[in-house]
Amino acid sequence: MRKLTAIAVAVTALGLGGQAYAAGNTNSAGATSSTTVIAPITITKTADLRFGQFVQPTSGGQIDINVGGVVDLTGITPSGLTSITQLGTGRGAGAFSVTGQAGRVYLVTLPPGAETFLTRSGGAETMKVSSIRRTGGTANRTLSATGTDTLGLGGTLEVGANQAIGAYTGTITLTVTYQ
Amino acid sequence: MKKTQGIPLMKKIITFAAAAMVMAAAPAFAAGNNATAQADSTATVIAPITISKVATKDLMFGTLIAGYSDSTVSNAGLRTGNTDFELSVGAGARAVGAAQFTVGGDTTRAFTTGAVVDAGNQLTSLTLTNDAPATLTAGAATINVGGKLPAGLVAGSYTGTISVTVTYN
C-alpha cells in the first residue's frame, strides 16, 4: 500500500507541475489534480534570409545581415562590386512568426554550430552561412499577451574567392519549445 | 500459491512508480510543446561584366577634306557630312566604320555604358555616340560607337584611343 500511495502522489505532481500541453495528453490522477490545457506552440516562416545578388569577387569576403535586416557588405572586395541593383526580393533578414499560449516562455533552438551551407543550383559548390542568430540573442522568449512573437533571423555569408557563379540555397531550421 | 504470485505483481507496481517519477522530474510534454520551421537562405553569385573590342572594328572617319565641313560616322558605321576625297576620285579609299564592342555577363542584368575620348587622343574635338542596350540579353550585348568631328581640322593624320566602360546597375 505504501507503493501505491507513492504512485498517486507522483501522478498528481505530474498533473500540477508538468501540465498537459496539447490534445492527446491524458492525465489519470485523482480528483486533486489540476490540469490546464494550453495552446500548442507553433512557428511559421514569414521571410527567408536573403543575401541577394553580388558580382563574383576575386577575393573572399563576407556579407552579414543582422536580425533587423541591416546589411554589412564591407567584407566583399572590391567593395564597388556590391553596389549592383538587387532584383527580386533583394537582401533581407529571415523572419518567423511564433504563436502559442499568452505569456508563456519558450526556448529557441538554432542549427548546430549556428551555421549551415548553401549549395549551388545544378552544382556541388557551397557557401557557408555562419553566425546564424535570432532576435533576442540566446535568451528565452516570452509570448505576448495575445500569444504571439516574431523572430528575425540573421547570419554571415562567407563567399570564396572566385566563388562559382550561380544561385545558392540552403535551409535554416528553428525549433521552439515551451519551458 | 497466492504468496508466490504476489511477488511479480509487486515488481510491476514498483516499475510503474519509477516511470511515473521520471515523468514528474522531467516534465514530458505532449505534441504541441515544440514546433519547427525552416527558412531558406539564398544568395546569387553573378558573372562579372566584361567588355572587349571586336578586332578590326575601330571608329574610322576615313579621309576627309580639310576645312570643308564636319563629319559624322553613325553607330551603324555610315559617314555623312564630308566627302571621302580618295573615294570620290576612285583610288585608295580608306575605310570608314564604327567601333564595335561585345559585352558579357549576367543573363539579363541592366548595365550603364560610358564612352569617352581618352586623354592624348589627337582628335581632341571628337564627340562620341553609342547604341548600347540597357540590359544584357542571354548574357551578352553588342555596342557600336560612332562619332562626330567638327569642321576645320588641319590637314594631317590623326589617331588616338577611345574607352568604353560598362557597369552593372
Side-chain angles (χ1 to χ4, degrees):
Chain A
M1 277 308 294
R2 289 180 62 189
K3 296 287 185 187
L4 289 172
T5 303
I7 294 165
V9 170
V11 173
T12 302
L14 176 62
L16 290 168
Q19 300 189 347
Y21 282 102
N25 188 34
T26 59
N27 193 307
S28 59
T32 56
S33 177
S34 172
T35 300
T36 306
V37 178
I38 69 172
I41 193 166
T42 70
I43 183 168
T44 307
K45 179 202 71 175
T46 55
D48 293 320
L49 175 57
R50 294 150 287 135
F51 292 97
Q53 304 99 38
F54 52 91
V55 177
Q56 181 187 48
T58 53
S59 59
Q62 297 180 332
I63 297 176
D64 184 77
I65 300 179
N66 75 9
V67 297
V70 176
V71 180
D72 179 359
L73 300 169
T74 55
I76 288 285
T77 54
S79 58
L81 294 180
T82 63
S83 61
I84 61 171
T85 301
Q86 293 298 300
L87 307 177
T89 54
R91 295 189 174 107
F96 291 86
S97 173
V98 181
T99 66
Q101 186 72 16
R104 194 86 200 178
V105 174
Y106 69 95
L107 166 78
V108 183
T109 306
L110 297 173
E115 64 182 35
T116 192
F117 285 86
L118 312 188
T119 303
R120 186 172 72 84
S121 175
E125 297 86 351
T126 62
M127 284 190 283
K128 184 162 83 173
V129 177
S130 60
S131 299
I132 294 173
R133 53 201 188 272
R134 49 83 178 176
T135 303
T138 57
N140 284 345
R141 302 286 296 173
T142 302
L143 289 164
S144 73
T146 55
T148 63
D149 195 17
T150 300
L151 297 174
L153 178 70
T156 302
L157 180 69
E158 301 181 3
V159 186
N162 303 310
Q163 183 75 44
I165 292 162
Y168 292 71
T169 306
T171 58
I172 297 173
T173 302
L174 258 65
T175 300
V176 290
T177 309
Y178 276 140
Q179 296 300 284
Chain B
M1 285 296 289
K2 285 184 178 178
K3 193 170 185 179
T4 53
Q5 287 177 339
I7 293 168
L9 178 61
M10 281 302 293
K11 281 184 179 175
K12 285 187 177 178
I13 291 170
I14 292 165
T15 302
F16 175 56
M21 290 303 288
V22 169
M23 291 174 71
F29 301 107
N33 172 54
N34 62 53
T36 295
Q38 287 186 326
D40 284 339
S41 182
T42 59
T44 303
V45 182
I46 68 170
I49 194 166
T50 62
I51 185 167
S52 57
K53 186 183 76 76
V54 176
T56 76
K57 291 279 193 174
D58 293 300
L59 175 56
M60 299 173 290
F61 284 86
T63 302
L64 307 175
I65 298 174
Y68 178 63
S69 72
D70 59 26
S71 178
T72 298
V73 173
S74 69
N75 296 330
L78 302 176
R79 193 182 67 184
T80 55
N82 199 321
T83 58
D84 186 321
F85 173 73
E86 291 173 314
L87 182 61
S88 67
V89 299
R94 300 186 68 172
V96 171
Q100 190 173 80
F101 298 82
T102 54
V103 180
D106 191 35
T107 314
T108 57
R109 186 158 286 268
F111 67 98
T112 302
T113 302
V116 298
V117 177
D118 291 338
N121 191 317
Q122 295 170 340
L123 293 165
T124 54
S125 55
L126 173 63
T127 56
L128 301 174
T129 61
N130 71 76
D131 62 357
T135 62
L136 292 166
T137 300
T142 298
I143 300 173
N144 295 293
V145 178
K148 181 177 181 180
L149 287 171
L153 282 175
V154 175
S157 179
Y158 299 84
T159 61
T161 60
I162 61 174
S163 290
V164 177
T165 301
V166 287
T167 308
Y168 279 140
N169 290 355

